[in-house]
Amino acid sequence: MNFEHLRALAAVVDEGTFEAAADRLHISPSAVSQRIKALENAEGQIMIRRGVPCSPTEPGAVLLRMARQMQLLEAEAREALGSQAPGLAATRLAVNADSLATWFLPVLAEAANWADTTLDLHVEDQDYSSRLLRQGDVMGAVTSDRSPANGCRAIRLGAMRYVPAAAPGLRDRFAGAGGPDWDAMPVLQFNAKDDLQRGFLASRSTSGKPPMHTVPSSEAFVAAIRAGLGWGMVPELQVDSDFDDGTLVLLDARAHHDVVLYWQSWGLQSKRLDRLTAAVRRAARQLRN
């Protein structure tokens, strides 16, 4: 398999167009097109969906991951041989928003001292982030999927505990003799993929659908709960002090939901990848065992 063809594939996907890929590779757009066509002819399958932006097909995603792995290994081999000075390499990761706002932050602090690496973070729900690994979009992902993607390894990190919280005023407005009026009290969701609140309500056997607000930011989600917009399932790591000073109250002291997280990454022997994995594991000590 021709490495220059794979390099062109990665450039087209990363840059979004054949013209931008040509600028990155310092060749003409027609040369990029010829390399992609040669790759497709050799494999007998379409690798790129021509559009704006261009995206890989399912077979293209398989080769995209190979291309990025080969680029990483090539760079590290050249550095080890002394044939080139360490250069900047993009490290693409998928992290769910709640992790990025809490326990994952020390990874960013460590990465600030990595002179050979830039971070390219993709924010994705933990139930879906392993898909980005399979597509070749990232080399590592924080995920709730314990089954390693093909060619990857999985390490258990620990569990994030979510608890039902609300501002005291909201709780008092919807308080009933038997507890909160779950059918009437407004609720928040992070996005359409967020099932934590729906799962909690299902366990309460509610009969209706309460008013639901969507707030697609981890920090703003908690801020909206503090403001009384609605209640929601929030990470303990993010709001411990709010319960201490009375800013927030627990709607059920016995209820919680633990999301077990895993670190999945390419199964390569790579200095950069090993360093990243070690940083993630150190940061994840904040999680529950």
Side-chain angles (χ1 to χ4, degrees), residues 164 180-188 195-212 231 233 251:
D181 184 349
W182 300 110
D183 290 326
M185 186 164 55
V187 60
L188 272 63
D195 291 327
L196 288 177
Q197 288 73 217
R198 284 188 287 271
F200 179 89
L201 288 172
S203 72
R204 294 298 183 277
S205 300
T206 57
S207 58
K209 293 184 177 181
M212 182 170 286
W231 72 272
M233 300 292 289
L251 295 176

Side-chain angles (χ1 to χ4, degrees), residues 97 190 215-222:
F190 183 83
V215 184
S217 159
S218 185
E219 293 83 355
F221 187 93
V222 174

Side-chain angles (χ1 to χ4, degrees), residues 246-258:
T247 301
L248 295 178
V249 293
L250 281 171
L251 295 176
D252 186 333
R254 297 169 298 176
H256 64 267
H257 181 79
D258 289 344

Side-chain angles (χ1 to χ4, degrees), residues 29 38 87 100 102 162 178 226 262:
L100 187 57
T102 54
Y162 290 80
R226 291 177 182 136
Y262 298 84

